[in-house]
Amino acid sequence: MPQGSVLGPILFLIYINDLINSAPMFNYILFADDTNIFSKDPQLLKENLKHIEEWCLANKLVLNYTKTFQVIFKSPNKKIANLDNYELELGNQKLEIKQCTKLL
């Protein structure tokens, strides 16, 4: 499929549509090649993020670890005592925690 084609994004979405089955306990937002994964439980996320990585490898998709990061959504008044509990790894690399992001 040529890059920039009208059908490209639609066919890609069909291709990755079953990604959500690899870890159904999460909420997802899929748009073109941008995937957002949401979880209320950081431990559940730590334990199951590997399923998404395995799905990508099995489907010959390469994760761009430099563009993969995490955002902790919380009330402005809530303090997080131990950020180590929220530390995630993907591909043996720790994911950077960012304060904000753009959703496509």
Side-chain angles (χ1 to χ4, degrees):
M1 182 63 50
Q3 186 173 0
S5 71
V6 174
L7 283 178
I10 293 168
L11 292 175
F12 184 75
L13 282 175
I14 292 169
Y15 183 68
I16 66 162
N17 197 35
D18 70 330
L19 168 67
I20 60 175
N21 296 330
S22 66
M25 68 286 297
F26 302 134
N27 294 314
Y28 297 84
I29 296 177
L30 303 173
F31 181 77
D33 65 345
D34 189 53
T35 302
N36 297 279
I37 303 166
F38 298 89
S39 175
K40 292 181 181 180
D41 184 349
Q43 191 59 36
L44 184 72
L45 193 56
K46 276 184 178 182
E47 293 169 359
N48 291 284
L49 200 55
K50 66 180 173 290
H51 297 303
I52 293 169
E53 186 174 24
E54 289 167 357
W55 182 93
C56 290
L57 291 171
N59 287 279
K60 298 184 181 10
L61 291 174
V62 178
L63 293 171
N64 187 339
Y65 298 112
T66 62
K67 291 183 179 180
T68 304
F69 54 88
Q70 62 180 344
V71 176
I72 300 172
F73 295 95
K74 64 177 186 58
S75 167
N77 299 331
K78 184 176 180 181
K79 303 292 182 205
I80 297 177
N82 188 0
L83 275 179
D84 290 341
N85 293 337
Y86 294 86
E87 210 168 68
L88 297 175
E89 286 189 11
L90 193 59
N92 296 324
Q93 295 182 18
K94 291 183 181 176
L95 295 182
E96 177 185 357
I97 297 176
K98 291 201 173 188
Q99 297 297 316
C100 62
T101 186
K102 292 180 186 178
L103 294 177
L104 299 179

